[in-house]
Amino acid sequence: MSQQHIENNIRTLRFFKDELTQQALAQAVGVTRQTIVAIEKGKYAPSLELAFRIAHYFQVPLEEVFTYHPALDKIKSSKKKNPKK
Amino acid sequence: MSLQEKKAVFSILSSLLILGGYFYYTFGIHADENLPLQDNVQFWASFTLTMIVVTIILKIIAHIIFNIILAATNEGEDPEFMDEFDKKIELLSDRNGNYIFVLGFISSMIPVAMGKPVYYMFLILLIGGFVGGTLSDLWKIYYYRKGV
């Protein structure tokens, strides 16, 4: 159930913030350490609110924290049988 | 094992102990009084209602003991705190557990429709509820490990 189409740089950002611990980041953004672990491993795509909170904490744009790969996204598009033109 | 996984494991163990203990008390220790009543609907209704009350009270006590143990081990995390990840996992696992319970509920009607004794219905209902609750906790552990 990993979110391969959404990558993140949280581990790198933590490293450049004096090896910030997962627990400290979790407390700063208001989640549990388990959630940070799941996001880092790509097992959970956070809500937009949490994503912004993480980006805000590191003082970087959202795109520097999360990267979206459309080619890997197995999106279920709704198909119309008889589309009207 | 994370705190959330420990909570799920503890929930499974406490349910198993409480229900096992209650069944042993009713049909083991007081078998002479209760076994002859197994075809009585009134007995099963009072058995189920008492079981619900007993389970709630013992679960609260077990929950308090679990929190004391956690505080003593000093993990530094609030066991009551739930974030969006926890809530999503709880919703998914509860949904799956409820499917099992509904399946048990529908299955419990089959022996009644076939003219079997009423205790079949109550037993299937209780087993459905227990299996649904246990699988719900197992799904929590699965979702915490595999992600959602």
Side-chain angles (χ1 to χ4, degrees), chain B residues 102-121:
Chain B
V102 168
L103 197 71
F105 180 78
I106 293 165
S107 306
S108 71
M109 299 297 146
I110 296 169
V112 180
M114 289 166 70
K116 298 280 183 195
V118 74
Y119 65 82
Y120 279 106
M121 185 192 92

Side-chain angles (χ1 to χ4, degrees), chain B residues 1-146:
Chain B
M1 192 183 271
S2 71
L3 179 66
Q4 289 84 355
E5 287 169 338
K6 281 179 193 166
K7 275 165 74 176
V9 170
F10 183 77
S11 175
I12 294 169
L13 291 176
S14 61
S15 299
L16 203 67
L17 282 173
I18 292 166
L19 284 179
Y22 186 67
F23 266 81
Y24 178 68
Y25 176 80
T26 312
F27 297 110
I29 298 170
H30 295 278
D32 297 344
E33 303 156 37
N34 295 322
L35 279 179
L37 297 169
Q38 61 183 359
D39 287 329
N40 190 336
V41 179
Q42 196 182 349
F43 163 74
W44 280 103
S46 66
F47 172 83
T48 309
L49 286 173
T50 313
M51 191 192 74
I52 291 168
V53 174
V54 167
T55 306
I56 289 170
I57 293 167
L58 290 180
K59 277 257 180 188
I60 290 169
I61 294 167
H63 196 74
I64 292 166
I65 293 167
F66 180 68
N67 282 0
I68 290 168
I69 293 167
L70 275 183
T73 51
N74 227 346
E75 295 211 6
E77 285 182 81
D78 179 10
E80 296 303 310
F81 178 72
M82 283 183 83
D83 62 16
E84 57 179 50
F85 185 53
D86 301 317
K87 282 174 189 163
K88 190 173 181 182
I89 285 176
E90 189 173 74
L91 280 172
L92 286 169
S93 52
D94 282 355
R95 180 201 61 184
N96 296 349
N98 285 339
Y99 284 151
I100 303 292
F101 176 69
V102 168
L103 197 71
F105 180 78
I106 293 165
S107 306
S108 71
M109 299 297 146
I110 296 169
V112 180
M114 289 166 70
K116 298 280 183 195
V118 74
Y119 65 82
Y120 279 106
M121 185 192 92
F122 280 97
L123 276 179
I124 293 171
L125 258 179
L126 294 172
I127 290 167
F130 173 71
V131 172
T134 306
L135 283 180
S136 171
D137 286 324
L138 286 174
W139 260 303
K140 268 183 201 156
I141 297 168
Y142 172 79
Y143 285 132
Y144 274 116
R145 293 199 173 175
K146 293 286 172 187

